[in-house]
Amino acid sequence: MWNFPLLPEQASAYAAKVDPLFYALAVFVLTFTMGVTTVFIVLGVRYRKRRGVHRKSVHVENMLIELVWSAIPVVIAIAIFAWGAVLYYDHGKAPGDTIDINVIGKQWMWKIQHPNGLREVNELHVPKGRPVKLIMTSQDVIHSFYVPAFRKKQDVLPARYTSLWFEATKVGEYPLFCAEYCGTEHSLMGGTVYVMEPSDYEEWLGGGPALTPAAEGEAIFQKMGCATCHDAGDSSRGPSLNGLYGKDVKLRGGGTIPANDEYLRRSIMEPTADVVVGYTPLMPAFKTQFNEDDILSLLAYIKSLGGGTQE
Ligand code: HEC
Ligand SMILES: [Cu+2]
């Protein structure tokens, strides 16, 4: 088994930012706990019943003390909140130029696909010093992708897409875990993250014949007959998918919905859930025919048809 030290290595830019907050909180909590406990014990001994200390009509009222011991904790609490909020924002907001890697959690393994199509299982190779974004979903139950050395963890949910970004700072091998109990072999659901020099990563990436996810998606699109209804032409029975991604889609019965990953997935798996205005819902449901891999490929293909512009 892995040697799992109490304090995992710091291998990401984020780790170096989170740890000071962790230590500050630990020192803060310990200081207060020890202070309060000490006073508690001292007073308890000093004023115990046998001492027979005079306790009648003790009356202390001091506005200054009241104000000070209310104000100080408020200031400290706000400071901790602000510190945490800044880091949380950093955790949530990926920079624009990430390497996007698909991750599928599945009882009990992590399936990974790189932008050039290369796949791996329970192993994730990433370059040092480049921001990487994982786009994650689950084939079955809730999992959670956790790399302690990066101080990064994110739940992975069925029928939803969550993301997790990081920038590795240190070449090495780091354990990867599933951090959400997901069944009998949950404890074995994990693997290794390999952080490589960018040149080694490039070389490693080149080491496999692979179709890009968009090319795989296009193949599925042709094979499954999607193209018969979603032809670019106007006579098609279904709407054109060109430029769909990221657009607002008008739905039958009123309302609009942004064409994001979750909407596209639902449109394919359960077409009647949201019907596009002006179309008859004659698209067959593909729920039983696709796994999450296929869906991610189809999404990559649809995104490759452009987005943000009109049809
Ligand atoms: C029998 C014709 C038909 C086939 C086959 C078909 N679709 Fe559709 N599709 C439609 C129609 C009609 C709509 C619009 C009505 C609706 O939303 O259900 C639609 C809607 C969609 C949408 C939402 C489009 C939008 O503008 O919001 C997506 C995405 C989609 N289809 C993908 C696919 C994929 C991927 C396949 C193949 C796996 C496929 N479709 C196969 C007819 C079809
Ligand atoms: Cu799991």
Side-chain angles (χ1 to χ4, degrees):
M1 273 311 281
W2 297 305
N3 131 43
F4 186 67
L6 196 56
L7 299 171
E9 242 178 298
Q10 277 188 355
S12 77
Y14 191 66
K17 296 181 199 166
V18 164
D19 286 1
L21 174 58
F22 173 77
Y23 291 124
L25 276 177
V27 167
F28 175 71
V29 167
L30 279 176
T31 311
F32 269 76
T33 310
M34 275 158 46
V36 170
T37 312
T38 310
V39 171
F40 184 77
I41 293 172
V42 168
L43 295 184
V45 171
R46 183 140 169 230
Y47 293 101
R48 69 193 186 278
K49 193 168 183 193
R50 261 189 297 125
R51 290 285 297 272
V53 194
H54 174 67
R55 289 190 186 77
K56 290 268 159 54
S57 62
V58 180
H59 184 75
V60 185
E61 198 172 292
N62 187 329
M63 194 51 143
L64 188 65
I65 292 184
E66 298 285 344
L67 284 177
V68 167
W69 73 27
S70 301
I72 291 177
V74 167
V75 169
I76 295 174
I78 290 177
I80 292 172
F81 170 78
W83 191 350
V86 167
L87 286 180
Y88 189 67
Y89 184 79
D90 179 315
H91 166 75
K93 185 97 183 71
D97 55 341
T98 48
I99 301 176
D100 294 354
I101 297 178
N102 287 337
V103 174
I104 298 174
K106 183 174 179 237
Q107 284 167 325
W108 288 278
M109 62 176 88
W110 294 108
K111 293 171 64 179
I112 286 155
Q113 188 178 27
H114 291 262
N116 75 345
L118 198 65
R119 290 171 196 277
E120 47 186 341
V121 172
N122 293 342
E123 293 192 343
L124 171 62
H125 290 75
V126 293
K128 189 183 101 173
R130 285 276 323 260
V132 169
K133 185 162 92 184
L134 307 178
I135 296 158
M136 311 190 292
T137 189
S138 164
Q139 180 86 46
D140 36 49
V141 299
I142 300 179
H143 301 280
S144 185
F145 193 95
Y146 180 31
V147 184
F150 295 167
R151 312 291 190 273
K152 286 272 176 171
K153 177 163 68 178
Q154 171 63 51
D155 277 9
V156 176
L157 311 167
R160 299 259 299 263
Y161 296 93
T162 54
S163 69
L164 178 74
W165 86 274
F166 57 81
E167 185 178 321
T169 48
K170 219 161 123 188
V171 169
E173 296 176 16
Y174 307 101
L176 150 69
F177 297 97
C178 175
E180 182 68 54
Y181 179 66
C182 59
T184 323
E185 287 173 35
H186 161 70
S187 63
L188 301 177
M189 180 167 171
T192 308
V193 179
Y194 297 87
V195 176
M196 311 167 88
E197 290 296 346
S199 55
D200 295 341
Y201 173 72
E202 291 305 327
E203 195 177 317
W204 176 86
L205 262 191
L211 276 182
T212 64
E216 281 177 0
E218 184 169 13
I220 297 172
F221 200 77
Q222 298 300 337
K223 196 181 86 194
M224 300 303 289
C226 315
T228 58
C229 295
H230 294 287
D231 207 359
D234 279 338
S235 57
S236 318
R237 289 185 285 171
S240 160
L241 305 182
N242 291 335
L244 170 63
Y245 190 67
K247 208 184 68 176
D248 279 333
V249 177
K250 287 204 174 63
L251 298 180
R252 198 167 72 170
T256 59
I257 191 166
N260 56 18
D261 292 1
E262 271 143 35
Y263 167 76
L264 293 180
R265 182 185 183 283
R266 199 164 55 238
S267 295
I268 298 168
M269 300 299 250
E270 317 162 45
T272 49
D274 308 298
V275 177
V276 184
V277 77
Y279 288 92
T280 330
L282 40 76
M283 173 165 159
F286 289 91
K287 198 163 187 142
T288 54
Q289 299 176 50
F290 291 142
N291 59 28
E292 297 302 328
D293 248 319
D294 301 329
I295 295 286
L296 280 171
S297 304
L298 282 169
L299 296 193
Y301 172 62
I302 293 173
K303 288 178 200 175
S304 78
L305 299 175
T309 50
Q310 49 173 256
E311 294 187 20

